[in-house]
């Protein structure tokens, strides 16, 4: 793939093949697991990866658009150490990669107007039902409101929310 940009704790990478993108994501997660296998669990880095296939807008050396936004939203749905893919990706890889992913069900993704079916890989092999999640302790981080009226402060408010989520 082509590294489009690195963003602090993330990266945007473009692939010519959806199969290559998913194989790369799985290989990264497998190598991260192997890298920290012998060390203390608290030192392990557990990444989340989201993969989507869709249209993007090329502007200079950067990519924008729904394809990029959906991949970012899928990343948030992945389990630590796992990969989340869209149904469009799953349709293209299911016969080529075998049963690596499980159906994660319909999910409401941030700023996406309709639910999307998500497929998951990761440390947990058993699918978790929505009822199981409701019984587990959880915390919600709501976006901070820009009360200053200055549109330039929106970026700061969003960044602060993302930083809190990352730390949690």
């Amino acid at each position: 793939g082509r590294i489009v940009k690195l963003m602090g704790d993330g990266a945007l990478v473009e692939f010519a093949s959806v199969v290559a993108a998913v194989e790369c994501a799985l290989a990264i997660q497998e190598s991260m697991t192997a890298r920290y296998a012998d060390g203390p669990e608290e030192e392990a880095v557990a990444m989340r990866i989201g993969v989507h296939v869709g249209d993007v807008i090329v502007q200079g050396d950067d990519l924008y658009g729904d394809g990029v936004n959906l991949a970012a939203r899928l990343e948030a749905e992945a389990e630590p150490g796992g990969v989340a893919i869209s149904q469009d990706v799953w349709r293209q890889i299911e016969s080529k990669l075998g049963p690596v992913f499980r159906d994660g069900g319909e999910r409401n993704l941030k700023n996406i107007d309709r639910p999307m079916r998500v497929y998951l890989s990761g440390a947990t092999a058993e699918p978790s039902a929505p009822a199981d999640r409701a019984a587990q302790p959880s915390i919600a981080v709501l976006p901070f409101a820009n009360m200053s009226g200055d549109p330039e402060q929106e970026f700061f408010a969003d960044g602060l929310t993302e930083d809190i989520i990352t730390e949690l």
Side-chain angles (χ1 to χ4, degrees):
R2 175 180 75 94
I3 298 174
V4 176
K5 65 181 167 182
L6 300 173
M7 309 154 293
D9 64 348
L12 176 61
V13 184
E14 176 187 37
F15 288 85
S17 158
V18 69
V19 173
V22 173
E23 285 177 333
C24 180
L26 293 170
I28 287 170
Q29 296 297 40
E30 187 176 308
S31 68
M32 292 298 289
T33 300
R35 178 179 183 166
Y36 293 103
D38 296 332
E41 187 175 327
E42 62 273 0
E43 290 181 14
V45 176
M47 298 188 312
R48 300 170 193 258
I49 299 176
V51 181
H52 179 66
V53 58
D55 290 333
V56 295
I57 300 165
V58 179
Q59 189 172 49
D61 290 336
D62 209 350
L63 298 177
Y64 299 95
D66 289 342
V68 175
N69 293 339
L70 283 167
R73 300 306 179 219
L74 287 165
E75 175 263 331
E77 296 296 313
E79 297 167 355
V83 178
I85 62 173
S86 65
Q87 186 168 14
D88 294 336
V89 170
W90 183 79
R91 283 185 187 131
Q92 294 188 38
I93 68 158
E94 69 171 316
S95 64
K96 295 172 181 77
L97 296 182
V100 177
F101 290 88
R102 69 185 186 286
D103 188 339
E106 295 276 325
R107 305 275 178 107
N108 292 311
L109 306 177
K110 180 180 174 183
N111 296 331
I112 306 299
D113 59 354
R114 64 185 199 283
M116 175 180 270
R117 182 160 301 278
V118 175
Y119 292 82
L120 305 169
S121 82
T124 23
E126 296 300 318
S128 57
D132 295 334
R133 286 189 179 195
Q136 296 176 358
S138 63
I139 185 168
V141 178
L142 301 176
F144 287 94
N146 176 10
M147 301 185 71
S148 71
D150 181 2
E152 292 183 14
Q153 295 300 319
E154 282 296 320
F155 179 74
F156 176 74
D158 290 343
L160 188 57
T161 303
E162 293 296 324
D163 285 349
I164 291 171
I165 291 169
T166 299
E167 288 301 314
L168 289 172

